[in-house]
Amino acid sequence: MAAWDELKVVLVRLREEQPGVLLGYPTLELDPGRVPPVPPFGIGLAPWAAAIAGELHRQFADDVELTVGALPYPPGAQPRTRPATTPLPDLLDSREITVELDGPAVVRSGHTLRHSLLVRNLSGRDLQIATNGQVTAAVVDPQTGEVVGGFAGWQTAPLVIFRVAAGATEPIPLLIGTASYTPQLGYVVPAGEWGIQATLTLGPHPRDSRCRRTPILPLTITA
């Protein structure tokens, strides 16, 4: 109980003073009579918040299980869950669909950019793209195509269909995160010239629609 009381004060302060730093944490507003959480307390922090994770680790030690972006803290800790591995979908057929960014994509390391993907329909028939209101990019090594990072955090999951008429070009919201998925890079994808790819679900519903990857598009990450 004492550990939770102390941690709750810290989390409330972080939430008020640094909006966006907390990606996940136990419910702070408990109903009367509800049993408080018990340690270890799972705390998710933004990719840029490794210093804050260090402070929490020093203060609460094993009473907290910390995740910074997509990786566990402290560095070298074993991931608590294994990432799902699925075969990559095929690339878009450029004879039917082409994509480009709606202007240069530039974002600070460890932060998130909301951008737009311009989808051009060359197929001769109307196109439907199933999303949750946006498509989420993966950050890749532009030379090898290896996925090195992307968005970390929760997303809502409504079904939002974007329609692109034959011969038309339409913008689709694009979410670009720069959390590192690779411990060797640290908790953020560092500054430099990188690539992004997004998977498009081509049909009215994710369960029964084919998925295709965009080509690698340019991303500039700044310090």
Side-chain angles (χ1 to χ4, degrees):
M1 178 71 76
W4 170 243
D5 289 340
E6 293 178 19
L7 178 62
K8 180 179 176 180
V9 172
V10 174
L11 295 179
V12 169
R13 175 176 55 80
L14 285 173
R15 189 174 65 176
E16 293 176 351
E17 296 179 358
Q18 301 196 56
V21 69
L22 293 171
L23 301 183
Y25 51 93
T27 301
L28 300 179
E29 293 79 16
L30 295 177
D31 297 329
R34 184 174 176 183
V35 178
V38 296
F41 310 109
I43 308 295
L45 297 164
W48 49 265
I52 294 172
E55 295 172 5
L56 292 172
H57 183 66
R58 284 189 293 273
Q59 184 173 354
F60 297 101
D62 292 339
D63 283 337
V64 290
E65 286 187 345
L66 299 169
T67 302
V68 178
L71 299 174
Y73 189 95
Q78 290 297 315
R80 285 173 280 278
T81 59
R82 291 182 177 274
T85 56
T86 56
L88 290 174
D90 294 335
L91 289 170
L92 290 168
D93 185 340
S94 60
R95 296 168 299 180
E96 296 185 348
I97 303 170
T98 62
V99 297
E100 62 180 319
L101 295 171
D102 188 11
V106 182
V107 62
R108 285 178 60 198
S109 179
H111 292 258
T112 299
L113 174 66
R114 297 185 183 278
H115 205 53
S116 290
L117 186 70
L118 298 177
V119 178
R120 185 180 182 190
N121 181 5
L122 305 174
S123 69
R125 60 185 181 278
D126 289 352
L127 175 67
Q128 297 183 73
I129 301 173
T131 76
N132 67 341
Q134 60 196 355
V135 292
T136 302
V139 180
V140 303
D141 182 321
Q143 303 301 319
T144 66
E146 177 191 3
V147 174
V148 298
F151 181 76
W154 294 101
Q155 296 191 56
T156 57
L159 179 59
V160 179
I161 305 295
F162 289 89
R163 292 175 171 80
V164 186
T169 300
E170 297 290 346
I172 294 179
L174 178 66
L175 181 66
I176 303 170
T178 56
S180 168
Y181 296 169
T182 305
Q184 290 81 358
L185 292 179
Y187 289 103
V188 299
V189 181
E193 299 300 322
W194 296 89
I196 51 174
Q197 281 188 300
T199 296
L200 302 184
T201 301
L202 305 176
H205 200 282
R207 284 199 303 268
D208 50 16
S209 301
R210 60 193 175 108
C211 294
R212 294 292 183 268
R213 280 182 299 147
T214 69
I216 297 175
L217 303 168
L219 173 69
T220 299
I221 298 179
T222 62

